[in-house]
Every structure is written in C-alpha cells, then in structure tokens.
Amino acid sequence: MEGRLINPVSGLPDTKNAPEADSSVLRVWGGHSLRGHVKISGAKNSALVLMTGALLCSGDCRIRNVPRLADVERMAQVLSALGVKIHRDGETLDVNAREFTTSKAPYELVTQLRASFFAIGAILARLGVAQMPLPGGCAIGARPVDLHVRGLQAMGAEVQIEHGICNAHVPGNKGRLKGAKIYLDSPSVGATETLMMAATLADGETILDNAAREPEVVDLANFCNSMGAKITGAGTSTITILGVSNLHSTDYEVIPDRIEAGTFLTAAAITHSELLLSPVVPEHLLPIIAKLQEMGVNVVEEAPNCLRVLPAAVLKAADIQTLPHPGFPTDMQAQFMTLLALAEGDSLINETVFENRLRHASELNRLGADIRVKGNIAFVRGVHSLSGAPVLGSDLRASAALVVAGLAASGETTIKGLQFLDRGYDRLDLKLQQLGAKIERVREVEADIAIATATNTVQPA
Ligand code: EPZ
C-alpha cells in the first residue's frame, strides 16, 4: 500500500483523502491450493462493542488485538466526535472517555455504522442523557432497534424518536438508570450488549432474560468486569448485572475473530487445501466445524488455540439453518452457500436471522452455480465446477463468499464492492496471497481494461 495515505487510527487507506481507494477491485485466479498458517485477527464484532464499552470508564482503557478495519476507523471517529481521546499504535487502541464534550453522536457516522448505536447504553449510563441517530437498515435487513429502546425504558429512561434521532434521558434519580428485569423478545446481540452496558452503572440489579449468547457478548462482559463491573451469566440466556457507581482503567485483549477463521476454513475446504489457523478459540467455532465435518471436511485441534483443516476429496451436500449462537451463525451463511454450490447433491439453506441476506445467490449463479431463492430459503443444487466472471459484493459476508468462490472458479473472477469487504476483513487478500492464492487488488480501471482485452481477444475468432 505504498504511496497511499494511511489513516493513523485504522492503519487503512485513508478513504477520505484518496478518492481511488475504494475503487479498487480484486482479481482472483482459481484452482490453486492454499498451504501454510494464517494468523487470525481480533474479532470485529467484539472490538467495536468494546470501544463503546470504554465509554463507561472515566480512566484509561487499553484494548489490544484490535483489527485494522474500516468499521474500527469509523467507530473511532464516532468516539472522537463525542470528545473521547483515542490513540492507536499498531493493534493497540488507547481510549480515554474522562471528558465527553457532547452526548449527541454525529448523524452521518452512526448511519454508516450500526454498531455505534449500541453506544447509547454506555452514554446514557455515564451522562443520564443521549441523542443517538437511528442506525437505519442495510442490505441484509430493516434492523430495527425496538428491543434496545424498550430495555432502556424499562430501566427508567424516557425515549423519544424524532427526525431520525433517538433522544433519551433519565428523569430523576440524579439521571441514573435503575436496575430492571428485562425479557428480550428475541436474543438480539446488539440489544443484549446495549442493555448490559447501560446496567453496568445503574442503580440496583438488572436481569436480562432470553439474552444473546454470542462469544462477543461474553467478551464485552469480561471487558466490563475487568474494569470493576459485576456481570454474571454472560454466554447463557440469563445475564445478571449488579450496577456499580464507577469503573476503573483496564488493559484487555479482544478475542480472535471466529467469522474470519470460519471464512478461511471455507477457503481451505473449497480448494481442497490443508491449512493451519491461529489464534482461534475452537469452542467459538463449534457450529461451523460441525457443519464442515458433516460435509466431509475434517478439522482438528492442533493446539488449544490452533486448528488444522484437512483436504477433503469430495464435498457432501448439507442443510443449513442460521440461528442465534450456539446455532449456525448467519455471518457464515454466504461463505457456506459458496461451498455447497460445489458439493455433491442438493442442499437447503434457511436464513432465519435476517430477512434479506441471500442476495449473493445471484452473483454465485453468474459463476455457474445452480441456486434458487424463495423468500428466506435457498435451494442449492451442487455443480461440478464454477467459472470466473465479474461479480459484485452486496454486503460484507456476501463479498467474502465471492472471494471464496473465486479461489475455486476456473479462470479469472473480478470482485467489485470491496468497501464492504474492508469493513470486516483485515487484509484478506494479502493473507490469501501469503497462503499461495492467485489474488491481487487493483484499481478498477486496470481490471476493466484487462477484462475488455480478454473478451476482445475472443471476438475476432
Ligand atoms: C450483530 O448484529 C452483528 N453485528 C452482526 O454481524 C450479526 O449478523 C448479528 O449480530 C447476528 O449474529 C455486530 O455485532 C456489530 P441482532 P445486530 O440484533 O446486533 C432483529 C457481520 O456480518 N432485531 O442480533 O444488529 C434484527 O432485525 C454483522 O459482521 C429486532 O427486531 O444483530 C435481526 O433480524 C452483520 N429488534 C435479528 O433481530 C432489535 O431491537 C438479529 O439482530 C434488534 C434486533
């Protein structure tokens, strides 16, 4: 990335000042096996919420193993806009929220990063007032925040939504939230995290029932407890939080990214490769490993934090239903659809978490897959091979699924929409290159010329 402007906080190309940065595309030449060891980065969905958790503390918070992602850069911009001091040194982030200058988060940033809405819990807990723009929907669904709002109201907050802004304040009780018994209609990850943070500094005990059990929720609870919070039961569907008056400094390491690890497991499986992955927490990957084994792909624990995936000659068909953790993660559904597209037999994918998360099927069909979608069900008929073509990623995991497909497809696959990929993967293309993949990131114009030349050569014949 020489010659490009690098943002000091994220270590990523500075999209604001380098207009051509997100007009890059990936060119992938398939049919090459991968080998070696890949280092798994810190978890995006944990790092983001830990950054909001640091708002609960008026001391120094050091967060280690923070991945270099566009979303992390955006969250840092949200926190800075609130007056929080934030500094990055490699994969370490120092956050100091001693002085908020405002309780109002910037509209243009929050609407681009849904996870920043979860900060409403921490801001309200610290200041007794918060104005948070609604995050709005995205490619995969409407993504309402009603469960977040209802939980805060149960803890004594008054919440009005006007002009797309969620205005919350705590009347009385010196602006301090009160503990409450809250039942979540569905085990929302974000709502569990927002309310767990709010309850950390509340007056009294809060019980969250039907809470989300994702590893990232547990990581947030451990992070808050490392600052002196009293949270028990994280990882189960009942979390109890005994409010404390304030929190102290901490030095905490983010867990490895189970979805990045899962993505590399599918890349290895689709190229019939043997690969080592670490650091990982094998327990976090249980539903992913179980599905791979059902498809005939063996994954073994090489060491407590290291997995080895072994090549499978044939991929067997399998049915998938996405569910909240410990069910099969929706964030791995697209990558597995790619895998099942090359499996022997027919598979059914039922996406139950998000209402619009099967859009990658049509792009996979462009590569020669045979996938039919009806509502939230995808019917995948395995084909013998895929062939490269220009495709477009519609969201983060859909883009990753197209990269995995490109590794198996014959000829060249060109993938556009990298602004999605860079939101959630820390240098995926470079890591794949180091494992032997034929992949490169080029400027769109270069790829267009290459495609035009390639297709033109055909015509004269
Ligand atoms: C988190 O999103 C993750 N994002 C998502 O990862 C992940 O797909 C999702 O959890 C499910 O595992 C982050 O952690 C930043 P939810 P979140 O609230 O918290 C509905 C990725 O690819 N719902 O558990 O937004 C909602 O519409 C991203 O890394 C309500 O109806 O997910 C959805 O259908 C994508 N009302 C379902 O619940 C609410 O108030 C699950 O959403 C909240 C949610």
Side-chain angles (χ1 to χ4, degrees), residues 100-327:
F100 277 95
T101 50
T102 170
S103 59
K104 189 171 177 167
Y107 198 93
E108 69 288 349
L109 287 174
V110 174
T111 46
Q112 291 175 40
L113 178 63
R114 178 181 172 78
S116 53
F117 182 85
F118 308 169
I120 192 171
I123 299 172
L124 205 51
R126 273 285 303 277
L127 304 181
V129 58
Q131 291 96 3
M132 185 60 79
L134 290 175
C138 75
I140 63 177
R143 310 189 76 175
V145 292
D146 54 317
L147 299 175
H148 302 239
V149 170
R150 241 183 294 144
L152 293 173
Q153 288 168 326
M155 299 172 79
E158 284 187 6
V159 183
Q160 275 91 32
I161 296 180
E162 278 159 350
H163 313 300
I165 309 275
C166 196
N167 299 293
H169 77 284
V170 184
N173 200 29
K174 299 195 189 77
R176 194 174 178 199
L177 291 165
K178 285 201 198 73
K181 199 167 166 29
I182 300 167
Y183 176 83
L184 292 174
D185 290 359
S186 67
S188 152
V189 172
T192 302
E193 293 170 339
T194 296
L195 300 173
M196 202 163 69
M197 288 189 278
T200 299
L201 296 177
D203 183 4
E205 181 182 82
T206 297
I207 298 179
L208 292 181
D209 266 319
N210 197 26
R213 302 169 55 189
E214 271 68 4
E216 295 77 23
V217 169
V218 177
D219 209 27
L220 175 63
N222 293 342
F223 173 70
C224 292
N225 285 345
S226 76
M227 297 191 286
K230 293 191 169 43
I231 303 174
T232 51
T236 76
S237 29
T238 301
I239 301 176
T240 304
I241 307 107
L242 184 57
V244 295
S245 49
N246 53 50
L247 299 178
H248 55 71
S249 299
T250 187
D251 185 331
Y252 191 88
E253 178 153 335
V254 174
I255 55 173
D257 197 316
R258 63 192 167 106
I259 305 299
E260 183 197 18
T263 304
F264 277 103
L265 288 175
T266 57
I270 207 165
T271 54
H272 309 287
S273 306
E274 177 162 345
L275 214 52
L276 277 173
L277 298 81
S278 72
V280 295
V281 180
E283 181 206 329
H284 293 171
L285 286 138
L286 274 182
I288 298 168
I289 295 170
K291 196 51 69 176
L292 281 171
Q293 263 143 2
E294 191 185 328
M295 293 182 68
V297 179
N298 217 354
V299 180
V300 294
E301 231 176 271
E302 187 77 8
N305 72 343
C306 181
L307 291 174
R308 178 186 296 274
V309 50
L310 301 166
V314 173
L315 297 172
K316 287 183 270 178
D319 293 344
I320 286 179
Q321 178 174 13
T322 65
L323 288 165
H325 191 82

